[in-house]
Amino acid sequence: MRTARRHSDSSRAKGPPPTVWLSSGTDGTNYSLVNRVVTAGGRTYDQTVRLKVRAK
């Protein structure tokens, strides 16, 4: 899995949103992807997306 990270010291991030490219995995397996945002003030927000891998 490759991830793109962006860090901003301002209260609003600028530019395009980060992009995540996924590859590989086991057919029929469920995976959880966590997007974590940490503010300059130390607050943390996690959002989880669940994906099921299927063979092409």
Side-chain angles (χ1 to χ4, degrees):
M1 175 175 17
R2 295 181 349 199
T3 62
R5 294 182 181 216
R6 178 177 63 189
H7 174 74
S8 174
D9 291 329
S10 67
S11 61
R12 295 185 70 183
K14 297 179 177 148
T19 300
V20 177
W21 294 95
L22 305 174
S23 63
S24 193
T26 303
D27 185 31
T29 301
N30 293 307
Y31 292 91
S32 295
L33 306 175
V34 179
N35 179 43
R36 173 169 285 170
V37 176
V38 180
T39 68
R43 292 177 290 182
T44 302
Y45 173 75
D46 288 340
Q47 183 177 31
T48 302
V49 176
R50 290 179 176 81
L51 300 174
K52 184 173 187 173
V53 171
R54 295 183 185 167
K56 284 186 174 183

